């Protein structure tokens, strides 16, 4: 039986760009990704997403749209990662580097997939196409996808 760990992932968008952050330490170090992290027991998933993006980039976001729900299994780890993916076009401030992340805007036609998690190239087109999606990815280590399921959905349950 698996435990579940609730996590968030936020992608900030503007015109034809998306903000990614280079992870400087911890899980996913040296990979480009969105901004997010663990949901604390005292907060909702959306509150965690807003807190994490502020901590990791200094941006404030008021409006988030939940666009994805991704579950990750890592062989040998008894914890499934349940990642709630959000997108926003609405933010305040300028992104600044933190101890955790180095933010950088990328044109949507120049996403650095070779420096990201292997699954990103599979679901990122749905994110950039403003689609909603659900997926499951089983990894061996941090580089090899052994199995996955990914589908576009019409809506996401907010209490999942």
């Amino acid at each position: 039986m698996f435990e579940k760990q609730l996590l968030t992932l936020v992608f900030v968008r503007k015109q034809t760009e998306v903000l990614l952050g280079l992870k400087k330490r911890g899980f996913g170090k040296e990979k480009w990704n969105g901004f997010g992290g663990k949901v604390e027991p005292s907060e909702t998933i959306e509150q965690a997403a807003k807190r994490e993006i502020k901590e990791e980039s200094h941006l404030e976001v008021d409006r988030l749209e939940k666009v994805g729900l991704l579950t990750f299994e890592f062989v040998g780890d008894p914890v499934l990662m349940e990642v709630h993916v959000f997108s926003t076009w609405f933010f305040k401030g300028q992104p600044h580097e933190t101890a955790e992340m180095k933010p950088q805007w990328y044109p949507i036609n120049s996403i650095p997939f070779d420096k990201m998690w292997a699954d990103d190239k599979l679901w990122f087109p749905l994110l950039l196409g403003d689609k909603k999606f659900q997926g499951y990815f089983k990894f061996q280590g941090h580089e090899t996808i052994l199995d996955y399921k990914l589908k576009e959905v019409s809506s996401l349950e907010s209490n999942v």
Side-chain angles (χ1 to χ4, degrees), residues 57-151:
S57 73
H58 295 285
L59 290 179
E60 289 187 41
V61 296
D62 293 326
R63 295 169 31 193
L64 291 173
E65 180 184 5
K66 187 169 179 182
V67 295
L69 180 61
L70 299 172
T71 302
F72 296 94
E73 176 185 348
F74 290 87
V75 173
D77 189 334
V79 179
L80 291 178
M81 300 172 81
E82 182 180 292
V83 180
H84 296 256
V85 184
F86 295 90
S87 180
T88 187
W89 297 83
F90 306 97
F91 59 94
K92 294 178 193 159
Q94 293 296 319
H96 293 285
E97 186 170 348
T98 64
E100 186 92 15
M101 301 284 266
K102 178 183 175 184
Q104 182 175 322
W105 290 102
Y106 278 94
I108 59 172
N109 61 357
S110 299
I111 305 291
F113 289 117
D114 60 327
K115 297 175 183 157
M116 296 170 73
W117 286 96
D119 59 284
D120 290 356
K121 67 179 173 274
L122 300 171
W123 56 264
F124 228 78
L126 295 169
L127 171 87
L128 296 176
D130 297 317
K131 308 290 187 194
K132 292 184 175 15
F133 52 91
Q134 288 183 319
Y136 161 83
F137 295 87
K138 183 176 185 176
F139 273 83
Q140 177 74 52
H142 288 186
E143 304 299 328
T144 305
I145 298 173
L146 297 178
D147 188 25
Y148 78 93
K149 296 178 180 105
L150 180 64
K151 64 181 177 180

Side-chain angles (χ1 to χ4, degrees), residues 5-101:
Q5 181 179 41
L6 289 179
L7 299 143
T8 64
L9 191 56
V10 179
F11 292 92
V12 178
R13 316 254 321 260
K14 69 176 187 182
Q15 292 128 2
T16 59
E17 295 180 307
V18 62
L19 185 66
L20 298 176
L22 180 63
K23 190 81 157 61
K24 293 166 55 176
R25 64 182 184 196
F27 188 80
K29 182 179 177 184
E30 298 182 3
K31 292 186 185 296
W32 288 96
N33 206 346
F35 301 84
K38 296 179 183 113
V39 177
E40 300 297 334
S42 63
E43 60 190 358
T44 67
I45 293 167
E46 189 169 313
Q47 286 170 336
K50 290 176 180 179
R51 175 184 52 76
E52 287 283 352
I53 192 161
K54 186 168 185 175
E55 288 175 2
E56 293 181 348
S57 73
H58 295 285
L59 290 179
E60 289 187 41
V61 296
D62 293 326
R63 295 169 31 193
L64 291 173
E65 180 184 5
K66 187 169 179 182
V67 295
L69 180 61
L70 299 172
T71 302
F72 296 94
E73 176 185 348
F74 290 87
V75 173
D77 189 334
V79 179
L80 291 178
M81 300 172 81
E82 182 180 292
V83 180
H84 296 256
V85 184
F86 295 90
S87 180
T88 187
W89 297 83
F90 306 97
F91 59 94
K92 294 178 193 159
Q94 293 296 319
H96 293 285
E97 186 170 348
T98 64
E100 186 92 15
M101 301 284 266

